[in-house]
Amino acid sequence: MSQELYDAPNSFIQNANIDKATYEAMQTAALLEPDVFWAQQAERLTWFKPWTQVFTGDFSTGEINWFTGGELNVAYNCIDRHLAQCAQKTAVIWEAENGEQKTFTYQMLYDEVCAAAAMLRSLTVKKGDRVIIYLPMIPQLMFTVLACARIGAVHSVVFAGFSAESLHLRIKDCTPKLIITADGGYRRGQQFAVKKQVDQALDAINIAHVLVVKRTGQEIFWQSGRDLWWHEQKDNVDLNLGIHAEIMSAEDPLFILYTSGSTGKPKGILHTTAGYLLGAHISFYYIMDYKPTDIYWCTADIGWITGHTYLVYGPLSHGATTLLFEGVPNYPDPGRFWQIIDKYQVSVFYSAPTVIRMLMREGDEWVKKYQRLSLRLLGTVGEPINPEAWRWYYDVIGEKRCPIVDTWWQTETGSIMISPLPSCWPQKPGSATRPFFGAKPVLLDEAGQLLTGEATGYLCLAQAWPSMLRGVYGDKTAFYQLYLSKFPHYYLTGDKARRDKEGDYWIIGRSDDVMNVAGHRIGSAEVENALVAYPLITEAAVVCVPDPIKGEAIYAFATLQKDVTPTAQSAKEACEWVAMEIGKFAQPSYIQWTNALPKTRSGKIMRRLLRKIAAGEYTDLGDISTLADPAVVELLISESKSVYKSK
Ligand code: PRX
C-alpha cells in the first residue's frame, strides 16, 4: 500500500481557492443539506428567473429535477454576462495544427456565436431540435456548440474520429434537424476527409441541410439544396436573428453525448441545462483552482465529455481563457505540447494518462527544450494513472512545483466527482483521493452490501448531484435499468475501486464489459459486433490486455468461416474493418484466430478465461469445470503463440 504523499507547495496553498476547513464545511453541507448548499452555489450562475424548488426526485424512480421553475441560458452564462467587464479579454486561443493561431476575445466570441445562432435559426432550427456536430477541433466547433445552447437546440457532438457507420447510428438515434461538418481536417500535416463520412452516414437518411465549414479546401461531394457552405450562409444571414438567447427551463435538455456501455449500441447520455452548468462551473473553479489570469488548456477533443465540460462550459462560464488545439501531441515532434505551453504561457494543463505515458517514452529532452515556467497546476482524466507516469508528470513536466489533480468522473456524471484538492490534502500518485462537493461515493460488494473502511468493491454514488445525467435519449427505461437497478438507491458507476485506510479512493477500472483504450471508452460488444460483420468472421469475443502506453489494448479472439485459412493478412484486414466500422481508436491490437471460443454449458463465453490467455497467464485459470468442452483451453493456449499484432 502506497504511503507516498505529495503536499502542494505553500505558495499554491496560500493562493488556492479553497482550504481544508472550507472544504470540510462545504462537503458536509452538500451531503447533509443539499438543498441549502446547492441553492447557495447556484447563485454563481446568472438566472432569468429563480427556481422555486432546488431538488426533487430519487434513485428509486430515476426521476431527477434540479432547480425546478428556474430559467437561464447556458450560452448567456458563458458569454453575455462577461461582456460588461471582460469584452476584450481573450476567451479562446486556437492553435492550428500547422502552428498558426487565432484568438477570440469575449466580444468576438459573442459575435461569432450570435452569427452561428442566426444561421441555425435561419435554417429553422429551434428550441428542442437536435443538431449533430461532426467537426475537427476548429473554432467553429466551439461556436456551434454555444450557438445551439443559445437557441435551445440540443447539440450532439460526434468526435470526428468516429466512422461513417458510427455517425450513421447516432443520426438515426437522435434524428437531428441539421448536421454541421467540415470539408476536411488536418492531422500530422496531412488532410483527412470529414464531409465524406457525413455523406456515407446519410445513406438512406433524408435531412434538410448539412452546413459545411471550409477548412482544407479539398474536393468534396456536394448535394445541392441539402449542402450549404458555412461562409456563404454567414455572409447572407440576418445577424440580428442570433442575438436573442432563448429562455430555457432548468431541466431543458442541453446536449446528448453518445458513450459506450455493455450493450452493442452506444447510449445517448442526456444532460440538462442548469444542473450540468452548475457542476461544470463549480468543479472548474475549485479543482482547476481558476484564477482570472490563467491561460487554461484542456487537451481533450470537444467530441468527448471532457472537452464539453472542461474545454467549453466550465472555463467559459467563468470568463476564462481556454485553449483549443487542432493537432496531436507528437507532431511535428514530441515537444509540441510543451512548446505550446511556452508559446501561450499556459498555467493550468489538463490531459490524459495515455498522453503522458506516450510523451514520457520519448525522453526528457523534448520537455527540457522548453521552460514550462508558466505552469502551476496539472490534471489528468480518463483512466487510472500509473504511479510511474504520475511521478514523471510531477517531476519532469511540473518540476515538482505543480500539484496534480487526478480527476475521476464519467460522461454520465457531467463533471468531476472525485479529485484531489491539493490545497486541502496531499496527493497520492495513482489515487483520485476524495469526493468533490455533493459526491457521496460508496463501495458495495456483489450482494449490494455497503463496505466500510479499507475495502475494494463496486463504486457507486449514493446521492443525486446536479450535473448527473437525466436519462438515455429515446429510451425511457434505460436510465433506471442501467444505472439504478443493480443496487437499489445507488447510482452504479460501472467502475471498481479501492478505499485505503485514509479514506482515499483508487479507481481500479471498469467492472463491466467496457474497455478503456487510451482513455477512450469502448464496449466489448461494439467491437465484437463490428468483427462479426466482417465477412470471414463467424464469432468473436473481445477482451483487453494491459498496454504500457494505452493503458489497455484490445485483444480479439475470432473464429473464421469454415474452409477459410487464418492468415496475418486477414487479421490485418479485420482490424482495418473495425476501424472503418467504429473508428481507428477501437481497432484491436491483437487478433487471435481460433477454432472455438470457450463456452459454458449454458452457451456463455467465459471471458475471464480469455483475459488470462490474452495476458499470457496460463496457470491458475480459475474454475473451468463449467466449460462445455474443456479441451478448448489447450487449443486457445497453443493458438495464442501465433497471435496477430497490429502496428
Ligand atoms: O473507468 C472510468 C474511467 O473512465 C470512465 C468514464 O469514461 P468516459 O465516460 O468516457 O469519461 C471519461 C472522462 C471523464 C470511468 O468509468 N476514468 C475516468 N477518469 C478516471 C478514470 N479511471 C481512473 N482514474 C480517473 N481519473
Side-chain angles (χ1 to χ4, degrees):
M1 210 139 295
S2 171
Q3 283 308 314
E4 209 182 343
L5 300 178
Y6 288 74
D7 287 317
N10 276 337
S11 55
F12 182 89
I13 295 176
Q14 276 153 16
N15 293 311
N17 289 346
I18 189 158
D19 60 26
K20 189 160 191 260
T22 313
Y23 166 79
E24 278 166 6
M26 286 174 76
Q27 175 66 337
T28 305
L31 297 183
L32 298 182
E33 291 185 296
D35 279 20
V36 177
F37 175 81
W38 287 114
Q40 276 167 3
Q41 299 309 317
E43 297 289 351
R44 298 166 187 251
L45 304 180
T46 302
W47 296 79
F48 298 144
K49 194 172 141 206
W51 58 91
T52 49
Q53 196 156 22
V54 179
F55 174 69
T56 51
D58 67 64
F59 284 179
S60 60
T61 59
E63 190 49 52
I64 304 286
N65 294 288
W66 285 93
F67 307 109
T68 304
E71 289 175 353
L72 73 170
N73 181 286
V74 167
Y76 186 95
N77 271 275
C78 288
I79 308 171
D80 304 41
R81 69 167 174 160
H82 308 310
L83 292 179
Q85 304 290 326
C86 297
Q88 298 317 317
K89 181 176 175 180
T90 300
V92 184
I93 299 171
W94 180 59
E95 165 85 3
E97 203 254 0
N98 65 1
E100 282 171 17
Q101 73 182 74
K102 274 190 186 157
T103 56
F104 300 87
T105 62
Y106 271 90
Q107 182 63 51
M108 290 158 82
L109 182 63
Y110 173 84
D111 293 341
E112 294 286 354
V113 171
C114 287
M119 284 190 262
L120 297 183
R121 282 198 173 116
S122 74
L123 296 172
T124 74
V125 178
K126 50 186 191 320
K127 185 172 171 175
D129 288 339
R130 274 82 53 217
V131 173
I132 281 198
I133 304 173
Y134 185 73
L135 281 171
M137 287 280 277
I138 56 177
Q140 287 83 357
L141 172 52
M142 179 89 104
F143 304 155
T144 50
V145 161
L146 291 160
C148 287
R150 187 165 199 86
I151 70 167
V154 183
H155 60 73
S156 186
V157 183
V158 178
F159 169 55
F162 271 113
S163 66
E165 178 59 24
S166 298
L167 180 60
H168 177 79
L169 288 177
R170 286 155 176 76
I171 296 169
K172 275 206 336 215
D173 193 74
C174 78
T175 58
K177 183 111 179 231
L178 176 73
I179 298 179
I180 305 174
T181 190
D183 52 354
Y186 289 103
R187 204 178 159 86
R188 300 184 185 286
Q190 305 287 322
Q191 292 184 6
F192 64 93
V194 178
K195 167 81 161 43
K196 193 170 156 209
Q197 321 296 331
V198 177
D199 294 329
Q200 280 174 21
L202 284 173
D203 182 37
I205 296 179
N206 272 325
I207 190 158
H209 293 296
V210 176
L211 192 55
V212 188
V213 179
K214 192 177 249 178
R215 171 69 186 120
T216 59
Q218 64 190 245
E219 215 158 281
I220 52 173
F221 166 80
W222 198 257
Q223 186 168 316
S224 60
R226 183 193 74 178
D227 297 344
L228 303 167
W229 281 115
W230 170 281
H231 56 273
E232 288 178 5
Q233 289 298 114
K234 194 175 167 190
D235 283 348
N236 296 328
V237 82
D238 172 5
L239 290 176
N240 289 317
L241 266 181
I243 290 172
H244 149 68
E246 204 72 32
I247 293 177
M248 305 296 287
S249 295
E251 283 295 347
D252 277 337
L254 176 64
F255 67 85
I256 299 164
L257 187 59
Y258 286 86
T259 191
S260 297
S262 322
T263 63
K265 200 170 152 261
K267 308 171 277 191
I269 302 299
L270 181 72
H271 281 286
T272 58
T273 300
Y276 170 79
L277 183 64
L278 184 56
H281 186 78
I282 79 159
S283 57
F284 181 76
Y285 181 75
Y286 288 109
I287 299 169
M288 300 303 161
D289 190 47
Y290 171 65
K291 305 280 187 288
T293 47
D294 276 332
I295 306 292
Y296 165 83
W297 182 16
C298 165
T299 66
D301 193 289
I302 295 178
W304 308 109
I305 190 69
T306 305
H308 280 56
T309 308
Y310 296 108
L311 201 161
V312 182
Y313 290 122
L316 294 180
S317 67
H318 283 280
T321 299
T322 182
L323 199 148
L324 178 69
F325 175 46
E326 188 185 28
V328 295
N330 53 5
Y331 179 84
D333 63 51
R336 185 76 191 263
F337 271 13
W338 324 125
Q339 178 250 331
I340 293 175
I341 286 173
D342 277 4
K343 179 172 177 186
Y344 298 109
Q345 296 292 290
V346 170
S347 51
V348 178
F349 176 73
Y350 190 33
S351 195
T354 194
V355 172
I356 310 300
R357 288 192 293 263
M358 181 174 90
L359 296 175
M360 182 168 101
R361 194 180 58 170
E362 301 290 345
D364 297 2
E365 319 75 85
W366 292 109
V367 185
K368 298 273 161 67
K369 264 181 84 175
Y370 303 97
Q371 305 278 309
R372 290 160 287 103
L373 290 172
S374 52
L375 285 177
R376 64 178 193 88
L377 178 64
L378 303 171
T380 78
V381 59
E383 49 179 322
I385 181 160
N386 47 314
E388 194 197 354
W390 193 101
R391 283 184 217 110
W392 185 77
Y393 200 22
Y394 186 81
D395 292 340
V396 180
I397 304 305
E399 295 183 323
K400 304 183 197 302
R401 187 182 68 242
C402 309
I404 297 178
V405 286
D406 171 359
T407 62
W408 174 85
W409 58 297
Q410 311 178 292
T411 305
E412 292 89 338
T413 67
S415 59
I416 297 168
M417 294 283 108
I418 305 181
S419 169
L421 285 172
S423 53
C424 303
W425 58 82
Q427 307 138 68
K428 292 181 181 175
S431 169
T433 71
R434 301 185 196 169
F436 187 63
F437 303 139
K440 190 175 179 187
V442 293
L443 299 177
L444 303 181
D445 68 10
E446 188 62 55
Q449 295 300 311
L450 257 186
L451 301 170
T452 54
E454 269 183 87
T456 297
Y458 290 98
L459 177 66
C460 292
L461 294 163
Q463 194 166 304
W465 63 99
S467 68
M468 67 186 295
L469 77 162
R470 297 299 191 271
V472 174
Y473 185 76
D475 187 343
K476 280 209 160 23
T477 58
F479 178 35
Y480 179 79
Q481 283 305 328
L482 296 172
Y483 298 98
L484 303 171
S485 67
K486 182 169 166 84
F487 300 122
H489 310 296
Y490 295 105
Y491 164 86
L492 179 75
T493 67
D495 280 338
K496 274 211 155 157
R498 174 168 76 81
R499 188 172 47 225
D500 67 18
K501 64 176 182 304
E502 282 97 26
D504 289 314
Y505 287 86
W506 301 71
I507 311 299
I508 296 168
R510 300 289 305 193
S511 62
D512 51 9
D513 288 327
V514 172
M515 302 177 289
N516 191 329
V517 179
H520 294 147
R521 183 168 156 182
I522 307 158
S524 312
E526 272 174 81
V527 180
E528 287 164 3
N529 287 349
L531 282 168
V532 294
Y534 181 63
L536 303 181
I537 294 178
T538 47
E539 219 179 357
V542 156
V543 295
C544 43
V545 286
D547 182 277
I549 305 291
K550 295 177 178 176
E552 290 180 347
I554 301 179
Y555 191 116
F557 294 83
T559 57
L560 285 164
Q561 277 177 2
K562 252 202 168 133
D563 307 327
V564 177
T565 318
T567 62
Q569 181 58 25
S570 47
K572 180 171 177 275
E573 283 168 20
C575 285
E576 287 163 4
W577 174 272
V578 175
M580 212 176 66
E581 286 278 297
I582 305 176
K584 212 167 163 29
F585 62 90
Q587 196 169 293
S589 293
Y590 306 89
I591 291 205
Q592 177 173 334
W593 295 130
T594 179
N595 274 322
L597 291 172
K599 292 194 184 151
T600 61
R601 280 188 287 277
S602 57
K604 261 188 91 178
I605 293 174
M606 196 182 270
R607 281 169 195 284
R608 62 174 171 77
L609 176 64
L610 292 178
R611 266 181 219 117
K612 289 263 179 186
I613 291 172
E617 295 166 13
Y618 305 137
T619 52
D620 191 18
L621 293 173
D623 180 13
I624 49 170
S625 63
T626 55
L627 280 178
D629 175 15
V632 78
V633 176
E634 282 308 314
L635 179 76
L636 284 162
I637 292 175
S638 72
E639 287 162 345
S640 71
K641 309 281 186 298
S642 48
V643 62
Y644 168 81
K645 192 172 179 316
S646 79
K647 288 200 192 72

